[in-house]
Amino acid sequence: MSADPILRKGETLNSGEYLTICYELHHVLLPELSDEGFIEFDRFEDKVRRGMKFDEVRRFLEQIDDDHDE
């Protein structure tokens, strides 16, 4: 999948907000997730693929969601 930020239907960003999100996504979040093995991030192709530990992060996110509901 593309590493471009995904917006919800009807959601908009001004150019500054978009640049901030792109910077944080490409230079902070995706590299951290890649370092942990949850994803593979190819900065040159601007692509994200599932990493070796992808299913582990899914269980972690489900746990956060469950904790948030309580």
Side-chain angles (χ1 to χ4, degrees):
M1 96 182 316
S2 169
D4 285 339
I6 299 170
L7 300 177
R8 294 183 182 113
K9 187 175 181 173
E11 188 175 26
T12 60
L13 298 172
N14 67 39
S15 60
E17 293 168 329
Y18 184 79
L19 287 175
T20 299
I21 287 175
C22 285
Y23 181 86
E24 185 172 343
L25 185 64
H26 288 218
H27 297 283
V28 179
L29 300 173
L30 293 176
E32 286 178 357
L33 292 170
S34 182
D35 288 347
E36 292 296 325
F38 299 132
I39 63 165
E40 293 177 8
F41 173 50
D42 187 326
R43 187 182 310 257
F44 300 105
E45 288 185 27
D46 202 30
K47 300 288 181 188
V48 177
R49 295 181 238 350
R50 292 179 183 199
M52 296 293 290
K53 295 181 175 179
F54 181 81
D55 290 329
E56 291 178 34
V57 78
R58 178 172 282 170
R59 286 192 295 269
F60 176 72
L61 293 173
E62 289 169 355
Q63 179 182 352
I64 290 173
D65 208 22
D66 290 344
D67 291 344
H68 182 27
D69 291 340
E70 293 178 357

